Amino acid sequence: MEPLSNHYALLRILKIAALLLSASLLSHCTSHPYRGDAARYSTPATSPAVEENSIAKSRPGLGTELGHELTDTSSTATFYRKSTGQPDAMATFHYNDDEGARLMASLQGRPARRDGGFELIPGKLRVTVMDGSRYSSSALDHYESGQGIFVIGTPGENYSLKLANRTSRRMEVVVSVDGLSLLDGQPASARKPGYIIPAKSAVILRGMRVGGKLYSLEFGSVKESRASTAFGQKGARNVGVIGMACYEEDEIVRRRAQVEESYVREGARAFGS
């Protein structure tokens, strides 16, 4: 009988060992999801918005921020584009602080520092970037190198754009700053409306219109630029460039419209129908 008793004792020991091993494995398995959940909530992944903000924050140089609100004295008028598809001429220039502008110019050749305006589109459009003072504004210096123009800005300073029409006819100019239209603060397109400049005359653009209000243009950081704050990293990629798209006017269509208006006015009655 002893061998049988020993056999039962051995079976009992094996069962106890199996139960202990099972409990140990169960405890081990249930602890992992708990630790995993704790780690997932305590160290959340960085959101794309935070990553984009960090990238923009780390970028050196200038961007264009919206400054104080301005009184908008502009008005609307009809312009008859000769080309309804592509503009007749397009050109861009860049801006940055002194160090950044000089470096960009050096990458294209031997930079020359100049004052005053510059012929952005020879024979058509002359541009002068001016400081923000309304009554004693002066032109900002710029570097010229190869085919590039690089305007020198100062952080915290307002600026304006003076556009001079060099032709003997009216011209429409679509303007973008940091890839945004000055007329609505949204992503720019050459087909959007622009500013009408009379023949042999100039206009000064002092701000960007956003939400129906006009705000001054101010040199600031890339992170706080209108392009970055409104459109994230995608908008920040276009910081530092100013573009102009010029349209000539279809004089025949304009003249026809004036004649038609003359006939309408001839039929006007002073005292009702």
Side-chain angles (χ1 to χ4, degrees):
M1 298 295 295
E2 251 181 66
L4 185 59
S5 176
N6 290 338
H7 178 70
Y8 282 124
L10 180 60
L11 287 176
R12 187 177 301 167
I13 292 172
L14 290 174
K15 286 182 179 180
I16 293 173
L19 289 173
L20 291 174
L21 179 61
S22 176
S24 175
L25 289 174
L26 182 61
S27 173
H28 184 68
C29 290
T30 56
S31 66
H32 272 294
Y34 178 79
R35 289 200 297 268
D37 288 344
R40 185 162 59 248
Y41 287 105
S42 62
T43 57
T46 304
S47 68
V50 173
E51 291 178 353
E52 289 182 356
N53 188 52
S54 299
I55 293 173
K57 183 178 180 180
S58 65
R59 287 182 56 186
L62 299 180
T64 295
E65 301 179 16
L66 299 183
H68 57 279
E69 186 176 347
L70 301 171
T71 301
D72 191 355
T73 59
S74 63
S75 59
T76 59
T78 302
F79 185 89
Y80 304 92
R81 291 180 177 179
K82 182 179 292 186
S83 171
T84 57
Q86 296 297 320
D88 298 290
M90 296 179 67
T92 62
F93 64 92
H94 293 80
Y95 70 87
N96 208 338
D97 54 29
D98 193 352
E99 181 181 8
R102 185 172 64 254
L103 176 59
M104 292 179 69
S106 299
L107 295 176
Q108 295 197 19
R110 189 170 184 176
R113 181 163 179 157
R114 307 189 187 283
D115 57 8
F118 46 88
E119 296 291 324
L120 185 63
I121 303 177
K124 291 181 179 291
L125 184 66
R126 182 176 178 82
V127 175
T128 306
V129 182
M130 311 177 72
D131 64 29
S133 175
R134 185 177 180 86
Y135 301 104
S136 59
S137 58
S138 58
L140 299 180
D141 289 355
H142 63 276
Y143 290 103
E144 293 183 2
S145 179
Q147 300 298 316
I149 297 172
F150 309 89
V151 174
I152 304 168
T154 302
E157 293 292 329
N158 292 336
Y159 72 93
S160 58
L161 302 171
K162 181 179 180 180
L163 312 183
N165 179 0
R166 311 286 274 180
T167 73
S168 58
R169 295 181 177 179
R170 293 200 311 172
M171 173 189 297
E172 182 183 9
V173 182
V174 181
V175 183
S176 75
V177 172
D178 293 352
L180 306 179
S181 169
L182 280 190
L183 284 175
D184 59 14
Q186 297 297 310
S189 167
R191 297 187 178 185
K192 282 189 172 184
Y195 297 89
I196 300 174
I197 310 176
K200 300 293 183 179
S201 299
V203 298
I204 297 179
L205 309 180
R206 303 184 184 279
M208 178 181 290
R209 187 180 289 106
V210 176
K213 296 181 179 181
L214 185 67
Y215 298 92
S216 63
L217 303 172
E218 182 178 306
F219 289 123
S221 66
V222 176
K223 175 190 173 185
E224 298 300 329
S225 66
R226 161 69 183 177
S228 178
T229 57
F231 303 99
Q233 182 61 22
K234 185 176 181 180
R237 286 186 303 182
N238 296 320
V239 165
V241 64
I242 296 177
M244 312 273 175
C246 298
Y247 288 89
E248 297 177 3
E249 189 160 33
D250 191 324
E251 292 295 332
I252 296 177
V253 175
R254 182 188 182 193
R255 180 62 178 169
R256 184 186 302 133
Q258 290 176 331
V259 171
E260 291 175 354
E261 176 64 17
S262 297
Y263 283 124
V264 172
R265 288 175 179 270
E266 279 188 5
R269 298 183 179 183
F271 298 101
S273 56

